[in-house]
């Protein structure tokens, strides 16, 4: 059989291609999840997303045998990536359900700020004056979105926690990719998400707080399937984008297209755009992220 030919342009720009694909899938997931949140809690959405995604990645691993879960030598870090990653995503999905998509994605995209700080603290990476300026700029953008004078909302706090958790997760992926395959890293994330969200929902059913399991309707199952499949491909393309380049700043910079994708998709389904100051804050966060990416 003739060997499949790939475009030289695509091969030389695989990182950009993977990063754009991950951004598109994550934005599409956001839109579907927002529609789905009218029927069930964000925690249940994350549970089903990861449960179905777990079966998908297990099916892929059964075919490719591309798994070294216990052979990479850094199981603790792998489990930490799964735990902290699902905490970040849970915060992100909560905000998707309770605020406009542009704001939810912008707050989530403060992650590179925390990635830079975590890399400096844990791996000794030096931050240049430009990087410190970008970090300060990012927090300024966050303040412009939150607008403390109008009162701190729960989504503001959840947003910054989500960004912190996501930043730590991305920092761990950069280290884990030296020892584990992309599908192994995704597997740890899917397992963590399934188990943790099952515990959260179970505690709600036992009366620990006001959260109850909702049996999905037929239409909701379709949305759940779309979220799950999209979640798998988002994680896979995200991991591949970092693996396809030695410059972590490239996929980090391209990932900011998620904000633009999500605002466009959200507006198309009737989302309300943020006010002028918040939009300016979103722009400041994008600039901050691009400056941080440039330093990587």
């Amino acid at each position: 059989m003739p060997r499949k030919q790939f475009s030289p342009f695509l091969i030389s720009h695989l990182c950009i291609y993977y990063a754009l694909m991950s951004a598109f899938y994550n934005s599409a997931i956001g839109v579907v999840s927002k529609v789905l949140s009218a029927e069930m809690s964000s925690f249940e959405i994350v549970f089903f997303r990861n449960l179905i995604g777990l079966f998908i990645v297990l099916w892929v691993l059964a075919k490719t045998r591309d798994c070294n879960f216990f052979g990479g030598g850094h199981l603790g870090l792998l489990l930490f990536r799964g735990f902290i990653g699902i905490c970040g995503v849970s915060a992100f999905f909560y905000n998707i359900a309770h605020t406009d998509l542009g704001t939810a994605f912008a707050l989530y995209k403060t992650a590179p700020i925390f990635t830079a700080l975590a890399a400096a603290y844990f791996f000794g990476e030096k931050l240049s004056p430009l990087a410190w300026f970008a970090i300060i700029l990012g927090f300024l953008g966050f303040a412009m979105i939150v607008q403390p004078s109008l009162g701190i909302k729960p989504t503001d706090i959840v947003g910054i926690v989500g960004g912190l958790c996501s930043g730590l997760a991305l920092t761990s992926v950069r280290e884990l990719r030296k020892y584990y395959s992309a599908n192994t890293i995704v597997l740890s994330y899917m397992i963590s998400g399934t188990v943790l969200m099952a515990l959260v929902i179970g505690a709600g059913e036992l009366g620990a707080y006001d959260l109850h399991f909702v049996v999905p309707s037929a239409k909701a199952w379709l949305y759940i399937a779309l979220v799950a499949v999209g979640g798998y491909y988002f994680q896979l393309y995200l991991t591949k984008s970092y693996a396809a380049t030695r410059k972590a700043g490239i996929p980090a910079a391209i990932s900011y297209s998620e904000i633009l994708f999500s605002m466009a998709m959200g507006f198309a389904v009737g989302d309300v755009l943020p006010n002028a100051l918040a939009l300016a804050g979103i722009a400041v966060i994008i600039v901050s992220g691009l400056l941080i990416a440039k330093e990587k």
Side-chain angles (χ1 to χ4, degrees), residues 106-263:
L107 294 177
Y108 190 61
K109 295 308 291 184
T110 57
I113 297 172
F114 297 107
T115 301
L117 292 173
Y121 182 80
F122 292 108
F123 301 116
E125 294 185 9
K126 293 184 178 181
L127 295 176
S128 68
L130 179 61
W132 280 113
F133 171 74
I135 290 171
I136 295 171
L137 194 65
F139 283 115
L140 174 62
F142 171 76
M144 293 169 68
I145 294 173
V146 171
Q147 298 170 37
S149 61
L150 300 179
I152 301 296
K153 302 182 290 296
T155 52
D156 300 330
I157 299 172
V158 171
I160 202 69
V161 170
L164 172 61
C165 292
S166 178
L168 292 173
L170 289 174
T171 303
S172 64
V173 167
R174 290 172 56 189
E175 186 68 14
L176 286 169
R177 201 57 188 92
K178 302 174 184 177
Y179 311 102
Y180 297 95
S181 67
N183 275 310
T184 302
I185 297 172
V186 175
L187 175 65
S188 73
Y189 170 82
M190 294 299 180
I191 292 174
S192 298
T194 303
V195 173
L196 287 175
M197 291 302 101
L199 292 174
V200 169
I201 295 170
E205 287 295 308
L206 292 174
Y209 35 75
D210 186 21
L211 177 67
H212 300 285
F213 181 81
V214 176
V215 179
S217 64
K219 184 169 69 173
W221 277 117
L222 173 61
Y223 289 149
I224 288 169
L226 291 174
V227 169
V229 174
Y232 168 74
Y233 280 108
F234 162 65
Q235 286 291 324
L236 184 62
Y237 281 120
L238 175 67
T239 304
K240 283 187 173 185
S241 67
Y242 278 91
T245 179
R246 295 181 179 179
K247 297 180 179 180
I250 296 176
I254 296 172
S255 70
Y256 279 87
S257 60
E258 288 178 10
I259 299 177
L260 303 179
F261 283 142
S262 64
M263 289 181 70

Side-chain angles (χ1 to χ4, degrees), residues 63-135:
K63 294 185 66 175
T64 63
R65 301 187 183 277
D66 179 30
C67 182
N68 58 333
F69 196 90
F70 296 103
H74 291 75
L75 184 59
L77 184 59
L78 188 65
L79 294 176
F80 171 78
R81 183 270 181 269
F83 171 78
I84 204 69
I86 203 62
C87 288
V89 167
S90 298
F92 175 48
F93 273 70
Y94 176 88
N95 269 7
I96 284 176
H98 294 89
T99 189
D100 62 272
L101 284 172
T103 298
F105 271 84
L107 294 177
Y108 190 61
K109 295 308 291 184
T110 57
I113 297 172
F114 297 107
T115 301
L117 292 173
Y121 182 80
F122 292 108
F123 301 116
E125 294 185 9
K126 293 184 178 181
L127 295 176
S128 68
L130 179 61
W132 280 113
F133 171 74
I135 290 171

